[in-house]
Amino acid sequence: MIGSGTDLALQRLLDDGRRRAAATDPHHALLWEALSAAAEGGKRFRPALLVATHDALGGTSPEAAAEVGAAVELLHTAFVIHDDVIDGDHVRRGRPNVSGTFRALAGVDGAGPQAAADYGLTAAILAGDLALTAAVRAVATCGAAPAVVDRLLDLFDDALHATAAGELADVRLSMGVADASLAQSLAMEAQKTGAYSFSLPLQAGALLAGADARTTARLGEAGRAMGVAFQLADDLIGVFGDPASSGKSATSDLRTRKQTPLVVHARSTAEWDRIRGYLGRDLDPGELGEVRELLVASGSRQFVEDLAVRHLAEARAVLEALGVPHELLDQVGAAPFVLADGSGAAA
């Protein structure tokens, strides 16, 4: 989905990290190998959005766009690594993630279960931190004019603040001390995903193309709508998805009591008294099937699908008005996932 320029830029960032790590310590070198593995795969739609926006708005800085696109992808890698720590997950895309890898290495060395688990979490936190700093450094050295670099760093800083706020809200709402409203749940999703995955690459591409302030701001609005649509689709994956296809657990969101719009809507339905009994604990396949049926019968799945479609349409309208190719949405967020029943997520 992305051009070779961004692929090469990302590879240079990872190779530079490997070289620095190898000169530091063998175990640190293993950490960078795990970080690099975490950056592999995926749709790479964030840099694709950035480059496509830059090109559509008449940009003439392809090298800088490639570098900043690689930085956005590395930022995503950092957030994924840290998100797995927050959720207590040790597998990503069907294979051990950073914490899972280092937990296994510690076990091979003879460490006990708790010590191995602590080592794995330590490695994941450090790997995420390294990816974050490498991403910011890549923006600072992207080769754009100093004034543009300053504005890009402001965008990255805004995205970091918004994403941190969204992650904190996600965990706070999951504590179960208060029921989230739909507005609160959607705001959390916009912060957690929309800011860095969509608004950031769209606006960064616009800045690199020399777009005016109004265009850049409107692209931020489109990014927010796209982010909500994408996260809603991801919420469906978090319950109805096939882990073999998505690489994501289909029970983690229920086990951690995430107050996604799917759950918030279900709470308002007649099926809620039965649905809530499946939250906050591990589910076997039979129980997962039962709660899926209840979420369909309650209308909650359809509600989320319809909500995602509306947000995607809102984003598409803004992009069309600005001359940015909205067809990219069909590759990025239109139906990126396959659910356990074989259907596609509506977003």
Side-chain angles (χ1 to χ4, degrees), residues 88-105:
D89 292 332
H90 303 290
V91 175
R92 170 71 62 165
R93 294 172 185 152
R95 64 185 182 186
N97 57 16
V98 177
S99 65
T101 297
F102 275 76
R103 184 174 65 169
L105 289 173

Side-chain angles (χ1 to χ4, degrees), residues 21-154:
T24 304
D25 177 83
H27 297 284
H28 185 50
L30 288 175
L31 186 63
W32 262 96
E33 290 300 329
L35 193 166
S36 298
E40 294 175 356
K43 294 171 67 68
R44 297 284 199 262
F45 68 77
R46 295 164 184 86
L49 280 175
L50 191 154
V51 172
T53 303
H54 166 270
D55 294 348
L57 295 177
T60 57
S61 304
E63 294 85 2
E67 290 293 325
V68 179
V72 171
E73 188 64 23
L74 199 52
L75 182 70
H76 167 60
T77 300
F79 287 146
V80 165
I81 293 171
H82 281 164
D83 192 56
D84 282 349
V85 172
I86 292 168
D87 291 342
D89 292 332
H90 303 290
V91 175
R92 170 71 62 165
R93 294 172 185 152
R95 64 185 182 186
N97 57 16
V98 177
S99 65
T101 297
F102 275 76
R103 184 174 65 169
L105 289 173
V108 170
D109 288 341
Q114 187 58 56
D118 291 344
Y119 187 56
L121 290 177
T122 299
I125 292 169
L126 294 173
D129 290 346
L130 289 166
L132 281 173
T133 57
V136 173
R137 184 175 185 272
V139 175
T141 60
C142 72
V148 174
V149 170
D150 285 345
R151 294 173 70 189
L152 287 170
L153 289 172
D154 284 341

Side-chain angles (χ1 to χ4, degrees), residues 122-201:
T122 299
I125 292 169
L126 294 173
D129 290 346
L130 289 166
L132 281 173
T133 57
V136 173
R137 184 175 185 272
V139 175
T141 60
C142 72
V148 174
V149 170
D150 285 345
R151 294 173 70 189
L152 287 170
L153 289 172
D154 284 341
L155 283 181
F156 269 70
D157 197 43
D158 289 344
L160 281 164
H161 278 279
T163 305
E167 285 284 3
L168 189 62
D170 191 14
V171 176
R172 185 178 67 253
L173 294 176
S174 299
M175 291 191 299
V177 296
D179 291 339
S181 67
L182 180 61
Q184 289 174 318
S185 184
L186 289 173
M188 176 269 292
E189 303 217 316
Q191 289 179 317
K192 182 178 176 181
T193 302
Y196 91 89
S197 287
F198 296 93
S199 292
L200 174 60

